Amino acid sequence: MTFLGKLWSFFSTTWTYFWATLTAFPFLGFPLAYFLVYLWKKDRRLAGRWAVNITNFLLIRAVVVAYSVIWPEALSAWWWITGFFLAAIGLIGWVQIRLKGKLSLLKASFSVWRLSFLLFGLVYVVLYTTGIFKTMGDV
């Protein structure tokens, strides 16, 4: 194998382990994203927002993987997540129309995105503990 082949193999393996670690422990992405964005922009508030958004993506990915590991024959978790986002945006949009008389889809989407951080954090913890107990029961 050539030097470039070995170098590519090293970086590919390292990148795979990095993503696997962030999938298993998505909350590690928060300080990592915060630190990198703060070094880049020198703005704590912006770094916090970016860290929450990136961690939310990592949480969604971790929930999908944990769900598919615990219940491999079940309906894909992507369908549940898509359904959640559509239903939540519809509900918040309906509340906006009832209260203000007009719909701001952008505000409704951002609200659901921020709420999903809390929801997927909770679902991640529940699925993680469910997976531990299921694995312990199989042993």
Side-chain angles (χ1 to χ4, degrees):
M1 185 180 266
T2 65
F3 173 73
L4 289 178
K6 289 180 182 180
L7 188 65
W8 173 257
S9 176
F10 170 75
F11 284 123
S12 175
T13 304
T14 305
W15 187 252
T16 302
Y17 282 125
F18 174 72
W19 278 114
T21 302
L22 287 180
T23 299
F25 306 106
F27 291 110
L28 292 177
F30 188 89
L32 181 66
Y34 184 88
F35 179 71
L36 290 175
V37 173
Y38 183 73
L39 284 178
W40 178 35
K41 294 288 189 175
K42 302 291 188 219
D43 184 3
R44 291 176 193 248
R45 196 171 186 183
L46 182 67
R49 280 186 276 170
W50 272 72
V52 167
N53 289 335
I54 291 170
T55 306
N56 202 6
F57 279 118
L58 294 172
L59 278 169
I60 291 170
R61 178 184 163 124
V63 164
V64 167
V65 169
Y67 183 87
S68 66
V69 166
I70 294 171
W71 298 290
E73 298 88 24
L75 183 65
S76 174
W78 288 112
W79 289 108
W80 294 109
I81 291 169
T82 303
F84 161 74
F85 277 114
L86 291 174
I89 289 171
L91 182 64
I92 289 180
W94 178 77
V95 170
Q96 278 183 348
I97 290 173
R98 297 285 290 174
L99 294 177
K100 295 188 177 185
K102 65 178 185 170
L103 173 65
S104 174
L105 199 55
L106 188 64
K107 286 184 181 182
S109 300
F110 278 126
S111 298
V112 171
W113 181 251
R114 295 294 182 193
L115 288 173
S116 72
F117 177 78
L118 299 173
L119 175 75
F120 287 119
L122 178 67
V123 170
Y124 168 76
V125 170
V126 168
L127 287 175
Y128 199 83
T129 54
T130 302
I132 290 172
F133 286 124
K134 185 177 179 188
T135 304
M136 288 173 57
D138 291 343
V139 174

